[in-house]
């Protein structure tokens, strides 16, 4: 018996030794790195649609540089502002654990970087793999200041799918044949909707269907028998977009830097801010095939850019000069208002494995999202109230139209206890219950302006119901939460009904996202644990809507001790 106990004891120690050894091997193979970059923001001549514009770019590139790192690495990016506008950079989808000072939204986590000044963003990426992106978060600079952020597995780890032969970032964008800052300023002055874009782009190029654009059309290489991982990013300012490739199926394997159970589709729909990783196989006859993208438009009677951008999927084995090859095959795209296709696509998303979704809820929030109309102020002339019936467009969450501070950031005010910058009385539910997706009384069309945040205790388990409204018009709203990923446990149409709709919740393998496309005339339910202290912007990623106030801030308090508290602000944090 003693002999057996001795064996068991030794086996225990040996198992412990093996576990420690495995951990040391894992740590040594992880080998995290620190990547240093310099971003120079400045005006650069960019020619599109036959005209050259002085366009705000990063390092003279449009789109800006692609950043490539591994899970566990640290990024240090010094941003030098040589443009004539204030600027900030947001690292869209990065968790920013305790590093909220590097998140980037203007007047939320920092004051803007003024012309001729600089700021260094520093943060570590932990537990995220896939495709994210970075973009300006100040005024409408995001129209041209953006780029891909690719996070590969730790060294020694692999993708949960067969390694592709090649990878291609695909950034979908919008192009105005004028200065986009002027477009935004004119809309702000008149109170009406801004002019729609003149073109969509793929990697900065409009493609063959626009004037003066064929020569620059983006080429995506593939060869027979190859697999290409397309990292698709909707970088457009204001438009959800369909995406497809002629005669090729797309296997979706990830979204917003989280892996998914693979599923096959012919078309993607991405709201602004969302990313989708897809595998495409070179299993067609060698030729040229159009990659195409155009609007998904859910808002009735609202103007939108109805053009189509294209790139070309080119089989290497064609070995032809493009001009000598027949025109690429054009894919079929869904109708602009094809909500059925969007619904079928979004309901296909499942996490790659069973996940731990909060089941007990501490904070049950109900947020109505939508547009509104402000009456023309008495001191405004008619030309400043060119919205419907002499009004000015606005937007809100729970009838509060968010107003940014202008002389200090919310995070600074919170961290240093500076009063009078914001209040913490943002309502947990609409102040008035009504038929959200029906005919809404005109008395509810004008929200109340305010800089109101909602306070969350560290570690609280949060559920938010995001409910679209039909005020002015219902619309598919891409709602983005900074500092967090969240599980989308359910989506539906009509008014959310807790008793009836809770039975539809997926608490087993819901997708993990940072931006949810709230269905037009419908709702979405998200859940997360508030484990990251700071001031985190929750907003619609249609930039026109955030300008109108469709936003709020979730203020997550510090927990216990250093590792549950936000880091001190960096010494070079910009001053207002």
């Amino acid at each position: 018996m003693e002999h057996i106990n001795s064996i068991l004891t030794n086996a225990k120690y040996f198992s412990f030794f093996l576990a420690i050894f495995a951990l040391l091997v894992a740590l040594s193979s992880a080998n995290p790195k620190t990547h240093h970059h310099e971003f120079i923001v400045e005006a650069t001549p960019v020619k599109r649609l036959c005209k050259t514009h002085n366009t705000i770019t990063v390092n003279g590139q449009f789109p800006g540089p692609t950043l490539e790192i591994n899970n566990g690495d640290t990024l240090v990016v010094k941003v030098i502002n040589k443009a004539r506008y204030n600027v900030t950079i947001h690292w869209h989808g990065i968790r920013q654990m305790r590093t909220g000072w590097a998140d980037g939204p203007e007047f939320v986590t920092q004051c803007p970087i003024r012309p001729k000044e600089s700021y260094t963003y520093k943060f570590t990426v932990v537990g995220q793999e896939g495709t994210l992106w970075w973009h300006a978060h100040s005024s409408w600079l995001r129209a041209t200041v953006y780029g891909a952020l690719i996070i590969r597995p730790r060294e020694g780890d692999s993708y949960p799918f067969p390694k592709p032969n090649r990878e291609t970032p695909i950034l979908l964008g919008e192009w105005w044949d004028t200065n986009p800052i002027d477009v935004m300023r004119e809309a702000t002055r008149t109170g009406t909707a801004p002019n729609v874009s003149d073109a969509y782009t793929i990697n900065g190029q409009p493609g063959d269907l626009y004037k003066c654009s064929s020569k620059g059309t983006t080429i995506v290489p593939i060869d027979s028998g190859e697999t290409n991982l397309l990292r698709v990013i909707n970088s457009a300012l204001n438009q959800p977009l369909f995406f497809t490739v002629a005669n090729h199926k797309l296997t979706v394997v990830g979204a917003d830097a989280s892996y998914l159970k693979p599923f096959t589709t012919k078309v993607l729909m991405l709201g602004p801010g969302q990313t989708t990783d897809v595998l495409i196989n070179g299993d067609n006859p060698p030729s040229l095939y159009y990659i195409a993208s155009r609007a998904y438009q859910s808002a009735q009677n609202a103007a939108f850019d109805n053009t189509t951008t294209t790139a070309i999927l080119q089989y290497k084995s064609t070995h032809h000069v493009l001009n000598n090859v027949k025109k690429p095959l054009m894919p079929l795209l869904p109708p602009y208002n094809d909500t059925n296709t969007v619904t079928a696509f979004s309901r296909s998303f499942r996490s790659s494995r069973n996940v731990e979704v909060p089941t007990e809820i501490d904070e049950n929030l109900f947020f109505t999202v939508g547009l509104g109309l402000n009456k023309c102020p008495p001191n405004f002339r008619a030309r400043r109230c060119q919205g419907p019936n002499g009004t000015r467009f606005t937007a809100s969450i729970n009838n509060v139209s968010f107003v940014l501070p202008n002389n200090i950031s919310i995070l600074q005010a919170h961290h240093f206890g500076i009063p009078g910058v914001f209040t913490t009385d943002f309502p947990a539910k609409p102040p008035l219950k009504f038929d959200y997706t029906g005919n809404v009384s005109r008395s509810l069309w004008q929200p109340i302006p305010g800089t109101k945040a909602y306070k969350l205790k560290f570690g609280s388990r949060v559920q938010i119901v995001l409910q679209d409204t039909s005020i002015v018009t219902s619309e598919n709203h891409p709602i983005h939460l900074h500092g967090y990923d969240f599980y989308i446990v359910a989506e539906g149409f009509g008014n959310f009904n807790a008793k009836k709709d809770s039975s539809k919740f997926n608490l087993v393998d819901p997708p993990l996202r940072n931006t949810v496309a709230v269905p037009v005339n419908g709702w979405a339910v998200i859940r997360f644990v508030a484990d990251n202290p700071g001031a985190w912007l929750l907003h619609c990623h249609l930039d026109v809507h955030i300008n109108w106030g469709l936003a709020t801030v979730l203020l997550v308090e510090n927990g216990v001790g250093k590792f549950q508290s936000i880091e001190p602000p960096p010494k070079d944090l910009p001053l207002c």
Side-chain angles (χ1 to χ4, degrees):
M1 190 71 182
E2 250 181 62
H3 179 62
I4 292 171
N5 284 338
S6 172
I7 290 172
L8 289 173
T9 302
N10 287 335
K12 251 187 226 176
Y13 282 121
F14 184 65
S15 298
F16 177 72
F17 170 76
L18 279 179
I20 293 295
F21 179 74
L23 179 62
L24 289 172
V25 169
L27 288 173
S28 64
S29 65
N31 192 25
K33 296 182 175 67
T34 299
H35 304 259
H36 292 266
H37 295 275
E38 191 170 83
F39 276 12
I40 298 175
V41 180
E42 60 186 345
T44 304
V46 175
K47 187 175 184 180
R48 296 290 185 274
L49 307 182
C50 315
K51 283 168 64 178
T52 300
H53 296 276
N54 264 339
T55 300
I56 306 301
T57 65
V58 169
N59 297 350
Q61 300 175 41
F62 172 64
T66 294
L67 303 183
E68 301 184 44
I69 63 171
N70 292 86
N71 182 0
D73 288 355
T74 296
L75 265 171
V76 180
V77 185
K78 183 176 183 179
V79 177
I80 301 167
N81 187 5
K82 293 186 177 180
R84 59 191 176 107
Y85 306 109
N86 296 335
V87 71
T88 66
I89 301 292
H90 171 52
W91 315 92
H92 187 110
I94 296 292
R95 286 291 318 268
Q96 298 291 0
M97 298 300 295
R98 302 176 51 242
T99 53
W101 307 106
D103 190 43
E106 180 180 50
F107 294 116
V108 177
T109 59
Q110 68 168 97
C111 295
I113 308 167
R114 306 289 182 186
K116 300 181 181 178
E117 294 182 1
S118 66
Y119 177 49
T120 299
Y121 294 90
K122 182 179 180 180
F123 53 90
T124 300
V125 177
V126 180
Q128 295 182 282
E129 294 177 13
T131 305
L132 295 175
W133 63 304
W134 56 266
H135 60 79
H137 214 299
S138 178
S139 184
W140 266 25
L141 288 182
R142 179 161 74 85
T144 56
V145 178
Y146 62 84
L149 174 50
I150 295 169
I151 309 166
R152 294 200 169 83
R154 295 178 187 270
E155 286 185 17
D157 288 353
S158 58
Y159 296 127
F161 46 82
K163 187 177 180 182
N165 302 90
R166 63 178 74 238
E167 301 181 11
T168 307
I170 302 283
L171 293 111
L172 310 177
E174 276 183 285
W175 178 263
W176 276 262
D177 203 13
T178 186
N179 183 349
I181 304 293
D182 291 342
V183 174
M184 185 274 294
R185 285 178 174 172
E186 176 67 7
T188 302
R189 189 183 66 78
T190 61
T192 190
N195 290 341
V196 299
S197 56
D198 297 289
Y200 298 115
T201 57
I202 297 177
N203 292 352
Q205 295 291 343
D208 290 358
L209 306 185
Y210 298 91
K211 59 185 180 180
C212 305
S213 300
S214 293
K215 282 186 180 177
T217 298
T218 297
I219 305 296
V220 177
I222 199 166
D223 211 351
S224 297
E226 278 190 352
T227 301
N228 195 341
L229 173 60
L230 304 183
R231 299 178 176 274
V232 187
I233 303 165
N234 186 349
S235 318
L237 211 61
N238 291 316
Q239 192 62 57
L241 292 166
F242 288 119
F243 175 90
T244 190
V245 183
N247 274 28
H248 288 72
K249 291 178 181 176
L250 305 171
T251 301
V252 177
V253 293
D256 292 0
S258 291
Y259 294 121
L260 296 168
K261 286 186 174 74
F263 67 93
T264 301
T265 181
K266 288 186 177 179
V267 64
L268 315 177
M269 195 291 285
L270 297 91
Q274 292 185 316
T275 73
T276 307
D277 291 345
V278 297
L279 298 173
I280 183 170
N281 293 320
D283 53 9
N284 272 258
S287 188
L288 305 181
Y289 299 87
Y290 271 132
I291 298 169
S293 181
R294 77 174 182 194
Y296 163 52
Q297 179 64 8
S298 60
Q300 290 188 349
N301 304 317
F304 69 101
D305 178 352
N306 64 0
T307 61
T308 301
T309 181
T310 55
I312 295 173
L313 184 73
Q314 180 183 10
Y315 279 71
K316 287 166 60 185
S317 50
T318 53
H319 290 305
H320 290 300
V321 179
L322 292 186
N323 292 339
N324 295 334
V325 179
K326 63 182 181 180
K327 196 169 182 181
L329 188 67
M330 190 71 187
L332 286 173
L333 279 154
Y336 297 112
N337 61 351
D338 191 349
T339 295
N340 289 338
T341 291
V342 172
T343 303
F345 176 66
S346 67
R347 288 182 178 172
S348 300
F349 282 58
R350 295 282 186 276
S351 281
S352 59
R353 55 183 175 76
N354 291 359
V355 293
E356 289 186 20
V357 187
T359 50
E360 299 294 319
I361 298 299
D362 304 305
E363 294 277 2
N364 199 345
L365 308 177
F366 190 103
F367 288 177
T368 55
V369 299
L371 305 186
L373 295 174
N374 281 333
K375 293 173 184 173
C376 194
N379 58 331
F380 276 30
R381 294 184 178 180
R383 64 172 178 261
R384 296 202 60 191
C385 300
Q386 295 183 30
N389 301 315
T391 58
R392 291 176 60 85
F393 273 107
T394 185
S396 67
I397 300 178
N398 279 359
N399 203 46
V400 178
S401 187
F402 190 72
V403 179
L404 285 169
N406 58 17
N407 57 4
I408 194 170
S409 75
I410 290 172
L411 184 56
Q412 286 171 288
H414 169 62
H415 186 74
F416 294 110
I418 300 169
V421 177
F422 66 90
T423 60
T424 55
D425 56 346
F426 187 87
K429 59 184 180 181
L432 188 70
K433 191 174 180 180
F434 58 97
D435 182 3
Y436 309 114
T437 54
N439 291 320
V440 183
S441 166
R442 291 293 177 110
S443 63
L444 299 175
W445 283 37
Q446 179 159 324
I448 298 163
T451 309
K452 296 175 183 287
Y454 190 87
K455 193 175 279 190
L456 294 170
K457 287 184 179 177
F458 185 92
S460 56
R461 296 157 296 185
V462 184
Q463 173 176 294
I464 306 179
V465 177
L466 295 160
Q467 172 71 61
D468 185 30
T469 68
S470 55
I471 297 174
V472 183
T473 182
S474 54
E475 189 167 2
N476 183 294
H477 292 278
I479 302 296
H480 172 47
L481 175 58
H482 290 227
Y484 286 87
D485 289 325
F486 48 73
Y487 292 110
I488 305 174
V489 299
E491 295 176 2
F493 292 98
N495 298 333
F496 177 76
N497 182 316
K499 289 180 182 176
K500 183 180 70 173
D501 293 325
S502 296
S503 62
K504 302 173 187 174
F505 286 7
N506 175 7
L507 302 179
V508 177
D509 59 354
L512 189 65
R513 305 294 302 263
N514 61 57
T515 306
V516 55
V518 178
V520 56
N521 261 320
W523 49 267
V525 181
I526 65 173
R527 289 187 178 184
F528 61 95
V529 177
D531 58 359
N532 191 14
W536 305 110
L537 191 62
L538 174 78
H539 68 98
C540 182
H541 220 269
L542 306 178
D543 258 29
V544 60
H545 289 180
I546 188 174
N547 291 338
W548 289 342
L550 210 166
T552 188
V553 166
L554 300 183
L555 203 64
V556 181
E557 297 178 305
N558 286 335
V560 178
K562 176 182 175 182
F563 295 107
Q564 292 184 1
S565 302
I566 191 163
E567 293 180 358
K571 290 179 180 178
D572 66 336
L573 189 72
L575 300 173
C576 283

